[in-house]
């Protein structure tokens, strides 16, 4: 039960046995063997079938017992009722890996789900790298392996892809065939009884034949493990995913489809962002990025040049660029001088560089050569509209561009706007492994995503610090609350936790008599706030349980008596501990909400926003998964749209950000320390130019 | 100079003369004739050339004088220096319309621009419907006319398209050829010396052969006329435009490209929205909408059904749907019963309807038949992933869907996810004139746009009212200010205008002495605000010129003396009229900003937003072009994101919306009444549950 599976045996097996091999063309047990043969597989194929002697020219073995010991890979296509038995037999011959293509397990629930649990336990116990059940199989073009029943063979290439949906697997393959995009590995994950996206990511991260990892996901079973594995991969190569089930309706559909509950989409988005995973928002973006990342190098800066044979598309591309973080700088003056020698006088000699509707191959090639040689630019978009001249010279123009693109290490994206008559160019670019776009917008968006990934790869290491705290003291409070069966930790108990974590709170003390209250107020300093303290009374103002702006000891004493007497009368059921005496909030503070919610997949998801209408109406919130690094604490504050309100809008002083970041890191630590805390609201946290104060806190328990 | 041009002569000429006809293939003067012949033109073609006798089998006329009187259409391809002379000759024979393909006019500036002005004046004087100069020409497939030099012939169809860019014209044609999308009219507008988008829109609106109008625009010369014409068209058929030059950088490129200054993008967006013009945000959206509108009927409601052979894409489509105003309702129970009879038991029987990866033509057809028969749904998306079964039956599945689609009047959008092996289906759908998509997201976005357009078509008439006002009184103030050369109308003068328009202002009066100030304050009621009144002092607080919360006559007198003396000392240059005494703002009010800015193309653009940070930091603003209808005034308030703050968030009372709408209509009227006012800020307008008050106003003059 080590959990370290032999994925080499799975992806590059020397021997493959097909359990349920069939001599009938069209049957899955036949298609898998045919695909393996068509892929040019160089290892040994052993069909297993009790009745046949030869299938597709390969000698057949009668049963699993007849297979060689230490078999690399078994592919199971037998009916559902025979799967567990076959797996038990395979354990006996010490199989290293298996793919169960057969469906009818967890996804149908009931008996199927029970059966899958047994198979899962068997594989885990015996360290069998299992893919499926209920999957299409896998492809490894680098080693000429194709054990799927998907029609057709993909082209070889450097993208590796995993899919939690078999149908999407076929769509991606078909799209890739049409676009001449090639793959190294391609895995249909099925029900993920043993191997899931985290195992595959780890393997693909270390795979020298994989340059880009793509994935279609519906859910992640172990969020923490995913985060741990994927952030190692994104250090080395881009990971692009499409994650469905964003909407509440979508999430419902996901649940019924995969038989497991999808996590909240915010947690997914945050996990992807914090680990550098690129999340495509649609299938078309997914495919555009596959093309871009696999066929072009990363831009080393934000500066985009646009070459075009028409003004209109140049303007549209400029519009599209302005929506991104890319920049449209101007060419160096030396470049302009050189361009003037090779282009006609009516060219624009600025960015976008309009070389005119009658530009031929010479103009396109010369312009691109000058632009890629100019250090001002990090990426180039080359637009062509099929004017009569362009149409006449389309092959020469395309060839000239390809020749230049092959000599530069900057990403160059041709964008030929049309369909019918530019199709020859599309094919030429595809065959030359150059990314090709029909519209400027998706090309520019792809370049921006690549630029952002280049920045991610170059980023500094994050700094994680454990803030000083008295964990034992906090633990005592939490455990006591759990013991009493309380749903929440509030007020005095919550204040104890703030103290244990050195969180800057408004000074406060619990008083059980009017005299104690007056003494506490003297100590804190006037004016003070007085609040009824009772575990049973959560809505204090309903019982008139809050008095603000008390200016002296007399007022405090009177308030104590009034508040406790009224509460006792109105809520005879409640045990009244006394009153909480609290420092008044200083002036000029901004209200902040900090909170966390424990996500089923990813653990505590921390939320940051400005209090009141900003969170409630404008939904201006930023998220991070716990633990936060120092950089996270810094950045999460700057991610909200209303950040300017904190940094000093309209001539105000900015708030003390360090103090706010300190609170964030301590909330993060608290969430990490106590899994018993399911949700928390630090609301409001008050902050001015001096410091931050936690004015109120509620901690929800399991 | 009537301005009513004979566009029938232009689009459906009985006789066409080509001035500058050439016998040399590849020359524009030859290509135009060849295109006309290839289009199957049934009228008379007269090549005009001094040297040839026959071109492409047509007898040549030596000069313009030899052309028949009252000629329908002359197409000019002669060099620039001969264009004006040719036009003068054409006037003599009473030509009805002309297309100048030749370039080198306004777009190059200088002499070219001068020449264009002469041609323009000539055509306007003689009522010649001129297209160009600097254009590709026009196509009218309904009447077999093609007088362009663009390569190839489009397919006939019901879309008509205009383009302000010749290059984009070629892109759109090529895309349409590839997608088998057909056109009725196709016009390259060039420099728009005479005919512009407004003339063309009016013509296409009345054209029985045009069902959908598409346009590529860079700028509009006469915004008011565009609005007037286009809103008549959108009543009858959809108008879809792409407008470039959105970004500041893009607008710069537009200016250098078209030789005219582009209007602010907000004004364009607002004009499109107020007239029901559908603005595509990208070329791909433009093309998707062309396909959708021309090949499918409008959905009569928001309810979308999704049929799919795979769960994952169903979830993704559901996600995409949730981002729109479309709804995913469930099938009627009778439909579910019927579906159970025709689909396998493992189908999902809900929306999205997952019919399984092994669905064949029978399942697809039966599912679609049941779904389109169900009144619950207004539109259907049919997803196919190329599973082995789907791939095997793809032609039968496609044919079955086509047969069903042809029988229903609901829009049905097939979305086949892939490229290589689904291409046969794509071709079949194209040939059957059924819209086809590769990805669910753009299909769903297109359906939503069609649904919104269907709602626009059904909308109520707008109500325009002229609020009661004393225009003469306001005019006197404005004219006086203009006469004195003031840059702004502020304070007392501005208050007079508010009064003339019956705008609810805070009570205020001008006092020239301390006693007058005290008397004014008594009349208004304490407390009051006192502000220095001087045309030269616009930043009053810089000279300590504002005192708030004055509680009695004594305080008012003292403040008057203090404020006027200090201002006189600090600004000896300024003429001090006295002080303005103003009612204090009532409590519980929200601050609103209402303003307008006169746009060069579209006239006054009115702005509405919440004051302070909402406008400044969150840019939460809504726009309308003047005049506002009553419905506009109602809706513009509800368009901002922070609307909930006005309607009564967190238990507050909502504001008096009628009172706010009244102010909006009066500001609109003021902007319409006085073109001298270039900009205005009613800031703040205060509003509570009782009423609105204009607390301050600045009106900028030309």
């Amino acid at each position: 039960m080590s959990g370290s599976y032999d994925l080499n045996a799975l992806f590059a097996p020397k021997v493959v046995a097909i359990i349920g091999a069939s001599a009938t063309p069209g049957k899955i047990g036949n298609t898998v063997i045919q695909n393996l043969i068509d892929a040019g597989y160089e290892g040994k194929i052993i069909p297993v079938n009790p009745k046949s002697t030869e299938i597709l020219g390969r000698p057949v073995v009668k049963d699993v017992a007849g297979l060689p010991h230490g078999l690399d890979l078994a592919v199971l296509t037998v009916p559902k009722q025979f799967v567990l038995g076959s797996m038990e037999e395979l354990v006996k011959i010490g199989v290293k890996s298996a793919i169960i293509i057969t469906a009818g397990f967890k996804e149908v629930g009931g008996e199927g789900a029970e059966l899958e649990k047994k198979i899962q336990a068997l594989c885990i116990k015996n360290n069998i790298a299992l893919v499926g059940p209920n999957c299409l199989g896998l492809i490894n073009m680098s080693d000429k392996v194709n054990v799927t029943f998907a029609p057709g063979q993909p082209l070889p290439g450097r993208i590796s892809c995993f899919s939690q949906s078999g149908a999407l697997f076929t769509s991606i393959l078909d799209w890739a065939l049409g676009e001449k995009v090639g793959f190294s590995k391609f895995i249909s994950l099925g029900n993920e009884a043993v191997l899931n996206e985290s195992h595959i990511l780890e393997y693909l991260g270390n795979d020298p034949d994989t340059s880009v990892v793509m994935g279609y996901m519906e859910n992640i079973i172990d969020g923490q493990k995913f985060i741990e594995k994927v952030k190692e991969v994104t250090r080395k190569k881009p990971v692009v995913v499409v994650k469905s089930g964003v909407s509440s309706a979508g999430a419902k559909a996901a649940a019924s489809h995969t038989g497991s509950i999808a996590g909240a989409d915010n947690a997914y988005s945050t996990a992807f962002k914090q680990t550098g995973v690129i999340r495509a928002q649609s299938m078309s973006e997914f495919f555009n990025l596959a093309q871009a990342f696999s066929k072009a190098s990363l831009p080393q800066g934000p500066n985009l040049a646009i070459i075009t044979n028409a003004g209109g598309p140049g303007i549209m591309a400029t519009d599209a660029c302005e929506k991104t973080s890319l920049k449209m700088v101007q060419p160096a003056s030396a470049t302009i001088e050189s361009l003037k020698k090779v282009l006609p006088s009516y060219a624009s000699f600025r960015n976008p560089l309009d070389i005119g509707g009658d530009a031929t191959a010479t103009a396109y090639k010369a312009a691109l050569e000058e632009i890629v040689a100019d250090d001002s630019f990090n990426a180039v978009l080359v637009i062509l509209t099929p004017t009569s001249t362009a149409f006449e010279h389309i092959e020469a123009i395309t060839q000239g561009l390809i020749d230049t693109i092959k000599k530069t290490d900057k990403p160059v994206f041709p964008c030929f706007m049309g369909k019918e008559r530019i199709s020859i160019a599309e094919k030429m670019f595809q065959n030359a492994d150059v990314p090709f776009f029909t519209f400027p917008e998706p090309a520019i968006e792809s370049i921006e995503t690549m630029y952002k990934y280049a920045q991610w790869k170059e980023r500094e290491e994050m700094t994680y610090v454990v803030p000083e705290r008295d964990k034992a003291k906090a633990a005592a409070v939490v455990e006591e609350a759990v013991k009493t069966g309380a749903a929440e930790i509030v007020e005095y108990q919550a204040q104890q936790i703030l103290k244990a974590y050195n969180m800057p709170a408004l000074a406060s003390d619990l008083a059980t008599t009017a005299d104690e209250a007056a003494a506490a107020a003297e100590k804190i300093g006037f004016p003070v706030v007085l609040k009824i303290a009772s575990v049973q009374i959560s809505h204090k103002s309903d019982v008139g349980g809050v008095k603000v702006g008390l200016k002296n000891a007399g007022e405090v004493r009177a308030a104590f008596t009034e508040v406790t007497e009224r509460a006792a009368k109105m809520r005879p059921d409640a045990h009244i501990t006394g009153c909480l005496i609290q420092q008044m909030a200083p002036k000029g503070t901004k209200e902040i909400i900090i909170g966390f919610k424990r996500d089923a997949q990813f653990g505590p998801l921390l939320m940051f926003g400005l209090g009141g209408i900003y969170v409630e109406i404008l939904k201006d919130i930023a998220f991070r998964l716990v633990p936060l690094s120092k950089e996270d604490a810094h950045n999460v504050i700057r991610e909200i749209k209303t950040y300017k309100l904190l940094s000093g809008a309209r001539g105000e002083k900015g708030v003390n950000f360090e103090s706010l970041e300190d609170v964030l890191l301590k909330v993060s630590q608290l969430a990490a320390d106590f899994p018993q805390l399911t949700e928390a609201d630090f609301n409001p946290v008050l902050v001015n130019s001096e410091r931050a104060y936690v004015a109120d806190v509620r901690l929800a328990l399991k």
Side-chain angles (χ1 to χ4, degrees), chain A residues 333-345 347 349 353 362-363 366-367 370:
Chain A
S333 49
T335 307
I336 294 174
E337 287 316 306
S338 307
L339 285 170
K340 282 187 174 163
K341 285 177 203 144
V342 293
L343 294 179
S345 61
F349 303 111
L353 175 61
T362 320
E370 293 299 334

Side-chain angles (χ1 to χ4, degrees), chain A residues 296-300 372 378 404-412:
Chain A
S297 52
L298 296 179
Q300 296 306 312
V372 295
N378 309 110
T404 312
I405 290 168
K406 288 293 167 194
K407 277 183 214 140
T408 175
D409 52 5
K410 287 180 185 173
V412 178

Side-chain angles (χ1 to χ4, degrees), chain A residues 110-437:
Chain A
E111 206 189 331
E114 287 306 310
L115 203 50
E116 182 168 324
K117 275 190 190 159
K118 286 178 191 156
I119 294 165
Q120 180 183 47
L122 187 72
C123 290
I124 291 174
K125 190 176 165 197
N126 294 285
N127 251 356
I128 299 167
L130 176 74
V131 173
N134 183 27
C135 73
L136 253 72
L138 70 77
I139 296 171
N140 173 5
M141 293 306 289
S142 304
D143 293 283
K144 304 180 183 172
V145 177
N146 182 343
V147 281
T148 70
F149 63 101
Q153 299 284 340
L155 299 171
R158 300 194 57 81
I159 300 179
S160 286
C161 186
F162 63 88
S163 175
Q164 288 186 341
S165 155
L168 247 307
F169 185 101
T170 65
S171 277
I172 297 170
L173 277 182
D174 192 42
W175 167 84
L177 272 176
E179 295 280 358
K180 306 264 190 295
V181 167
F183 291 97
S184 176
K185 320 286 183 291
F186 208 132
I187 309 102
S188 165
L189 288 172
N191 292 356
E192 304 189 336
V194 177
L195 296 183
N196 59 39
E197 59 289 338
S198 297
H199 301 95
I200 301 302
L201 277 163
E202 185 176 15
Y203 179 80
L204 297 177
N206 295 322
D207 177 25
D209 296 329
T210 297
S211 308
V212 184
V213 180
M214 313 283 297
Y216 168 79
M217 304 176 105
E218 293 175 357
N219 70 318
I220 292 175
I221 293 165
D222 184 346
Q224 301 287 357
K225 180 143 184 224
F226 173 80
I227 288 175
E228 181 199 320
K229 296 299 176 193
V230 80
K231 72 181 179 192
E232 291 305 315
V233 183
T234 61
R235 233 172 249 294
K236 295 181 261 183
K237 45 192 97 171
V239 177
V240 181
V241 305
V242 155
K243 159 81 179 70
S244 68
V246 173
S247 58
S248 48
K252 215 194 252 167
S256 78
H257 178 61
T258 65
S260 67
I261 296 148
D265 195 63
N266 275 329
Y268 277 103
S269 293
T270 309
F272 294 151
K273 196 166 65 181
Q274 271 177 263
T275 53
V277 171
I278 298 153
R279 182 179 191 169
Q281 297 299 327
S282 65
M283 281 313 285
S284 53
E285 190 185 349
F286 184 73
F287 289 143
N288 288 333
L289 291 174
Q291 231 208 114
F293 273 112
S294 66
K295 295 186 175 181
S297 52
L298 296 179
Q300 296 306 312
N303 297 327
L304 176 71
I306 297 170
I307 300 172
T308 175
N309 72 339
I315 303 168
M316 290 165 57
T318 305
D319 286 347
C321 184
E322 190 130 320
K323 288 180 194 155
T324 70
S325 53
L326 300 178
K327 299 207 172 2
M328 295 269 295
V329 297
Q330 291 307 317
S333 49
T335 307
I336 294 174
E337 287 316 306
S338 307
L339 285 170
K340 282 187 174 163
K341 285 177 203 144
V342 293
L343 294 179
S345 61
Y346 51 78
S348 70
F349 303 111
R350 56 193 306 283
N351 190 13
L353 175 61
D354 185 346
I355 60 175
D358 55 358
T360 61
T362 320
Y364 264 107
K365 190 168 200 290
L368 182 58
E369 277 170 354
E370 293 299 334
I371 291 293
V372 295
D374 187 338
D375 290 341
S376 317
F377 301 113
N378 309 110
V380 190
L381 181 75
V382 183
I383 295 174
L384 178 139
T385 54
T387 62
S388 43
T389 308
F391 175 50
E392 210 176 303
H393 298 90
I394 194 147
E395 285 178 68
I397 291 172
T398 305
Q399 194 55 54
L401 292 175
I402 289 171
D403 294 344
T404 312
I405 290 168
K406 288 293 167 194
K407 277 183 214 140
T408 175
D409 52 5
K410 287 180 185 173
V412 178
F413 284 35
C415 168
F416 282 23
M417 297 177 73
K419 181 145 181 169
E420 183 81 359
R421 286 162 305 183
I422 54 96
S423 59
I424 175 75
E426 182 176 6
K427 285 205 184 65
M428 288 173 73
F429 285 122
Q430 282 173 348
N431 291 332
D433 214 26
V434 169
F436 174 82
F437 288 86

Side-chain angles (χ1 to χ4, degrees), chain A residues 655-673:
Chain A
V655 305
N656 184 329
F657 285 109
E658 276 180 32
S659 173
L660 210 49
E661 288 164 30
D662 181 65
V663 174
L664 280 166
L665 291 173
K666 284 168 175 169
V667 172
S668 165
Q669 188 64 45
L670 179 69
D673 285 346

